[in-house]
Amino acid sequence: MAVGKSVIGHQLAQQLGVPFVDTDAVIVENHGTIADIFVGRGEHAFREIEARTVGRVVEEAAGSGAVISLGGGAVLDSGTQQILAGCTVVYLECDSATVAERIARNTGRPLLAGDGMARWEALFAARRPVYERLADITVDVRSGTVAEIALHLEERLRDHAALKEEVQK
């Protein structure tokens, strides 16, 4: 949450010449704001919507390629984890110092209500092992511009694809 998934993903998609899909944006387009879903229907309902959305988006992108940005908690769903097993998963690694300003600026994150940084740190501590386990590629986003990070990520993706191809031979 707040590590730059959408902006880095969009930049990477442009570089690769493939579509970019932000699952949070798809949810908002089809169901209303995430904050409203949390308030009106609860986190459990949101997570169900999120899991269905991720499944649909990944299925639609299969074979053609796309850069897909998932919400920070999407990977906690076991069904989503199974879907991601067939994808190249990138973990954008960050720390609280890097995201503190972004969190302070954005009050529309329902899970960060109250003491946003304390909540971010607790969520990150719980989610980090899942991120690390699912990731094919980990990229440190603590320094560098969006363009620099996306170029580095593109290199890492090409290396990963080449290695994967070599293993399959």
Side-chain angles (χ1 to χ4, degrees):
M1 196 181 309
V3 299
K5 295 179 302 290
S6 297
V7 69
I8 294 167
H10 189 266
Q11 176 69 35
L12 178 65
Q14 283 186 314
Q15 288 170 206
L16 298 175
V18 298
F20 172 72
V21 181
D22 183 324
T23 58
D24 283 349
V26 173
I27 291 168
V28 169
E29 183 179 313
N30 292 312
H31 300 277
T33 70
I34 293 169
D36 286 348
I37 297 168
F38 266 77
V39 169
R41 299 170 61 191
E43 183 177 0
H44 182 74
F46 171 76
R47 295 296 175 202
E48 288 178 351
I49 292 167
E50 182 178 50
R52 286 193 310 270
T53 301
V54 169
R56 189 179 83 245
V57 166
V58 169
E59 184 178 320
E60 289 171 358
S64 62
V67 174
I68 302 170
S69 172
L70 306 185
V75 298
L76 302 177
D77 178 76
S78 61
T80 298
Q81 291 178 24
Q82 291 175 7
I83 290 167
L84 294 178
C87 302
T88 300
V89 177
V90 175
Y91 163 38
L92 301 180
E93 186 176 43
C94 204
D95 60 11
S96 60
T98 305
V99 301
E101 184 181 324
R102 296 177 197 163
I103 289 171
R105 285 193 315 248
N106 185 344
T107 59
R109 298 177 189 272
L111 289 177
L112 298 183
D115 184 348
M117 283 311 303
R119 294 280 299 141
W120 185 91
E121 289 171 349
L123 289 169
F124 179 62
R127 294 172 178 180
R128 183 179 189 164
V130 179
Y131 296 159
E132 291 173 345
R133 180 174 49 82
L134 295 176
D136 295 299
I137 297 169
T138 299
V139 175
D140 186 336
V141 298
R142 288 175 273 208
S143 63
T145 66
V146 169
E148 290 167 342
I149 293 168
L151 283 171
H152 176 68
L153 180 50
E154 182 178 358
E155 287 177 27
R156 297 282 308 277
L157 285 165
R158 292 191 195 288
D159 291 347
H160 177 74
L163 181 61
K164 199 171 172 180
E165 187 176 303
E166 188 64 33
V167 169
Q168 291 175 349
K169 287 183 180 178

